[in-house]
Amino acid sequence: SQIRITLIQCFLNAVQKGDFSTTLEAVQKEAIQRKCYDSKNWTNNFTNNSALFNFGDKFTRKIQTIGLSDQGKAGLADLIKELQ
């Protein structure tokens, strides 16, 4: 769920600001609101999906802003198709 939230927030920011990125604070806040925040697996979920994002192979809690890689943009397109 947090990965989908991140993808959708990156999309919304791209539409509004022209940048496929979001803050982790915003992702966490939305995940909490949607009651899908998993603090125990937060880091692992991003690390396991690192190819979608621009932080490299290893996610750390020091990262504040996250953007989409080319593969992430393709994943976002798939998600949008799925949601239609």
Side-chain angles (χ1 to χ4, degrees):
S1 296
Q2 80 191 44
I3 300 304
R4 282 183 165 213
I5 290 170
T6 307
L7 292 173
I8 291 169
Q9 285 190 5
C10 286
F11 170 72
L12 293 174
N13 281 336
V15 170
Q16 295 170 354
K17 302 173 186 173
D19 184 29
F20 285 94
S21 67
T22 190
T23 65
L24 290 176
E25 180 180 355
V27 173
Q28 183 180 31
K29 183 177 179 180
E30 185 172 341
I32 290 168
Q33 287 175 339
R34 295 182 178 275
K35 297 183 170 114
C36 62
Y37 178 64
D38 183 358
S39 63
K40 292 180 183 175
N41 291 306
W42 178 261
T43 299
N44 288 337
N45 288 334
F46 281 113
T47 298
N48 292 339
N49 292 281
S50 63
L52 300 176
F53 305 107
N54 64 355
F55 56 76
D57 294 335
K58 185 73 174 162
F59 176 82
T60 67
R61 291 221 179 241
K62 292 180 182 179
I63 296 171
Q64 295 180 1
T65 302
I66 190 168
L68 297 184
S69 65
D70 288 342
Q71 188 174 346
K73 291 174 186 172
L76 173 61
D78 291 341
L79 176 60
I80 291 169
K81 289 177 192 174
E82 182 182 323
L83 295 174
Q84 287 183 338

